[in-house]
Amino acid sequence: MSTWDKLLMSKPVLVCAIPLKKPSFYYLPTSCEAVELRLDYMDNLSLTQEVRRVIEDYVSHYPTIITVREHGEGGSRVINPEVKYGILEFGKGVGAVPDIEVELLVKRPDMYGDIAEGSILSRHVFSRDVNAYELALKDLDIARRFKALMYKVFSINDDDFLNLLRLLNVGDINVAVIPRNPTYRAVSIIMGSASCTARYAARQAPAS
């Protein structure tokens, strides 16, 4: 049984997200069970030797998620698609779990299909005119087809919340429901969402 499988048996998992602005390793608080490296915060991101090394450092210390979000996925930068793929592929190769947006996988199954197995497939809904629950039901079929480790859905729509909670009972795949509303997010964690995320300010930690 993999480390992630063991963690998810006693969900929720506290994942500390680190928005890295430069390739640096930081020890995390003992309460963190896993780490999410948000590499899209770096200027001029590329798969340099320093980036490779920092990914390997985190993987050697913690269960690690690699995330490279583009602007439409909740990121703040335009990301070179080849660079993004290269980083996620490298991360998976050294034992990290890639976080891939469902829309990206659907558009580029030729590119991302080979790293989707065992990954986290994510859906981010930023429009109040979109029914996140209906999208999620379709997404789950994609997650099953590609044998994803987890499906994660974020929505800004409070009206979606009760329906999204029903996804926690699907049974055959780990599901994380992440509402924007802090109270709803707490309820989601109590109800058994697969993961909860805490933003960890790396600049406050001592560098190794």
Side-chain angles (χ1 to χ4, degrees):
M1 182 180 293
S2 73
T3 300
W4 276 101
D5 288 332
K6 291 177 182 177
L7 280 174
L8 291 167
M9 284 181 65
S10 57
K11 57 189 178 185
V13 178
L14 179 59
V15 179
C16 288
I18 299 183
L20 282 183
K21 295 186 177 180
K22 61 180 181 179
S24 303
F25 176 80
Y26 304 95
Y27 286 102
L28 302 180
T30 56
S31 58
C32 296
E33 297 175 276
V35 61
E36 178 185 16
L37 297 183
R38 284 291 303 271
L39 300 180
D40 48 285
Y41 281 81
M42 291 187 192
D43 291 322
N44 303 313
L45 179 63
S46 61
L47 188 56
T48 62
Q49 189 59 41
E50 290 79 8
V51 170
R52 292 172 188 264
R53 188 178 302 114
V54 80
I55 292 172
E56 291 173 333
D57 284 345
Y58 277 100
V59 169
S60 69
H61 286 82
Y62 307 104
T64 302
I65 300 166
I66 301 294
T67 303
V68 182
R69 295 226 184 282
E70 300 172 50
H71 189 267
E73 303 169 354
S76 58
R77 304 178 190 277
V78 175
I79 305 293
N80 182 312
E82 299 294 333
V83 169
K84 177 173 182 171
Y85 172 78
I87 289 173
L88 294 178
E89 181 188 43
F90 174 81
K92 181 170 184 178
V94 298
V97 174
D99 188 321
I100 306 169
E101 199 75 10
V102 177
E103 285 292 331
L104 185 60
L105 177 60
V106 170
K107 289 178 182 177
R108 298 299 308 272
D110 56 322
M111 177 178 281
Y112 287 94
D114 63 334
I115 61 172
E117 183 175 348
S119 70
I120 296 171
L121 295 188
S122 294
R123 167 73 67 179
H124 289 78
V125 176
F126 299 109
S127 171
R128 296 190 182 281
D129 298 325
V130 174
N131 187 312
Y133 178 67
E134 291 181 359
L135 279 177
L137 291 177
K138 297 176 182 177
D139 290 346
L140 283 171
D141 288 335
I142 297 171
R144 294 183 182 103
R145 186 164 77 246
F146 284 93
K147 300 180 180 178
L149 171 70
M150 183 191 304
Y151 172 69
K152 181 175 68 177
V153 56
F154 168 88
S155 176
I156 67 168
N157 298 325
D158 289 350
D159 291 344
D160 289 334
F161 179 60
L162 291 179
N163 278 331
L164 289 175
L165 282 182
R166 295 163 60 186
L167 302 177
L168 300 180
N169 298 316
V170 296
D172 62 333
I173 190 167
N174 296 296
V175 176
V177 173
I178 306 178
R180 183 176 64 172
N181 183 306
T183 301
Y184 288 178
R185 186 173 295 202
V187 171
S188 179
I189 294 168
I190 293 170
M191 293 291 290
S193 189
S195 69
C196 58
T197 302
R199 176 63 63 86
Y200 177 64
R203 65 181 179 275
Q204 294 177 359
S208 64

